[in-house]
Each structure stands twice: as C-alpha cells, then as structure tokens.
Amino acid sequence: MGNPKITILKNEILSNNWYLLRKLTYDYLKKDGTTEQQMREVYDRGNGAAILLYNKTEKKVILIRQFRMPTYMNGNKTGMMIEACAGILEKENPDECIRRETEEETGYHVTDVKKIFEAYMSPGSVTEIIHFFVAEYTNAMKINEGGGIASEHENIDVLELSFDLALEMIATGAINDAKTIMLLQYAKINALLE
C-alpha cells in the first residue's frame, strides 16, 4: 500500500456483522534486514467526528450520557459514559456529519463549526480517524430535545454542565472518554470559554 517494509500475505475477514473485522498476516522487514511474519486483527468501523459545544457567556458545555457495552464488559459498573457528541461518517464529509449528529443527539442546530484536528483513537487495532470540532451554542439554537434516533436504538441524556465542573469530572474519573477529555483540554488550553 505504500510502505516497502510491509508485504501483506493474507487478508481474512473474521466478521462482517456490525463492522468489519480482519485478520492480516504480513511480512515486516526489520532494521537488521531480516523479515518477521506478524499477524494483527484490524477492526474497521469507519471514520467519525466529535464536537464540543460550548457557551462562552454562561461558561457551560453540552455533553451526552449513554450506555456503552464495551465499557460495561471492562469494569464500568453501569456502562454509562459521559461523552462529547460524536458519530460515524455516513457517506458525508465530517462537517456535515457533526452538524447532523449534534442535532440528533443534543437537539442543538449549529451552523458555525470549527475543525481543530484529527486523531487515530486506538491505532493498534482500530482504523478509525476522528475529526474533532468545536462550536459555540446559545439557548436559541435548541430546536428539539435531542436524545438520539430511536431507530438506531440511541437512548441519550443531554447534559449541560459548567465548564469547571466538566474539567473537575476528568480529575475524578466521572469523565473518562478519550475524545471528550481531548476536547475539554483543547478548550482549556485555547481559552475558548474565557
């Protein structure tokens, strides 16, 4: 694909149920000139977008809370996660995706979104790149109650929190979602709410 040190020998589909899980067998040319055969499972769930909605005047942010089975299986007693609004790109560009997801999940209609960076969230096993955004909101932008799409089995609580409380929740572990922590820290570093 572009790296002369990698020769893919086998590309097996292990599951194509929810998303695509592959097992790749490949030769890796090491620094000493020898070749080592390696195997990795790679999960392809598509790329995504995430956004932090912030109200500069009231010093508040909009986050969501929802059940996440993988966290429940890994020790999160309730499985509930507090997160920034996010979603998977569905044949659309990241800007369109995050505007749609914001409306569906939070009930806010935002038009002026600013892309701040992209990041691989778990590059050892997942192909996903997340496009990160921020946008100011006001109460006048609220057009519905949010909560997600019933047909997608989303049961989302919309949370409006003070920015200081959200930052404190990182320290206490109440917020432990990577994309949310990254967005809140970006807002703090760049003084978005000052």
Side-chain angles (χ1 to χ4, degrees):
M1 296 207 324
N3 187 338
K5 294 182 178 184
I6 304 296
T7 303
I8 296 176
L9 305 172
K10 195 185 290 185
N11 184 345
E12 304 169 78
I13 294 176
L14 301 179
S15 175
N16 195 7
N17 186 18
W18 189 254
Y19 295 109
L20 188 60
L21 177 62
R22 298 176 186 270
K23 179 181 176 184
L24 294 160
T25 306
Y26 58 95
D27 282 341
Y28 183 84
L29 180 61
K30 299 184 338 183
K31 290 179 184 178
D32 66 5
T34 63
T35 300
E36 178 178 83
Q37 191 173 98
Q38 299 181 359
M39 286 184 286
R40 296 290 185 272
E41 290 183 4
V42 177
Y43 191 52
D44 185 353
R45 48 167 283 150
N47 294 324
I51 191 166
L52 180 67
L53 300 178
Y54 66 96
N55 184 312
K56 192 171 185 172
T57 304
E58 296 184 16
K59 309 255 186 281
K60 292 184 177 180
V61 294
I62 298 289
L63 300 175
I64 61 169
R65 180 175 44 223
Q66 63 184 318
F67 178 77
R68 296 296 199 181
M69 178 57 81
T71 73
Y72 185 66
M73 297 302 297
N74 195 27
N76 179 355
K77 290 180 183 175
T78 65
M80 300 303 286
M81 294 289 290
I82 297 174
E83 306 175 38
C85 171
I88 300 294
L89 306 186
E90 296 174 5
K91 298 181 182 179
E92 60 201 333
N93 69 46
D95 296 60
E96 293 167 336
C97 171
I98 205 57
R99 283 187 183 92
R100 174 183 50 78
E101 289 289 343
T102 299
E103 211 167 292
E104 291 173 3
E105 292 186 2
T106 72
Y108 286 85
H109 178 75
V110 293
T111 54
D112 187 21
V113 298
K114 176 184 174 187
K115 185 171 180 181
I116 53 175
F117 54 81
E118 300 174 7
Y120 287 98
M121 296 304 292
S122 188
S125 59
V126 181
T127 62
E128 180 183 41
I129 294 173
I130 294 185
H131 303 263
F132 287 82
F133 294 86
V134 293
E136 280 196 71
Y137 77 93
T138 65
N139 294 333
M141 295 176 178
K142 189 160 180 76
I143 60 169
N144 64 54
E145 292 306 307
I149 303 295
S151 63
E152 295 179 10
H153 309 287
E154 293 179 324
N155 296 294
I156 295 170
D157 298 324
V158 181
L159 308 174
E160 185 174 39
L161 306 171
S162 77
F163 182 55
D164 288 340
L165 176 60
L167 292 173
E168 187 179 308
M169 291 170 78
I170 296 171
T172 65
I175 293 177
N176 57 4
D177 170 66
K179 67 184 176 299
T180 306
I181 293 169
M182 292 166 71
L183 283 164
L184 290 168
Q185 289 179 340
Y186 175 90
K188 178 69 174 170
I189 292 166
N190 291 280
L192 293 186
L193 285 94
E194 291 178 11

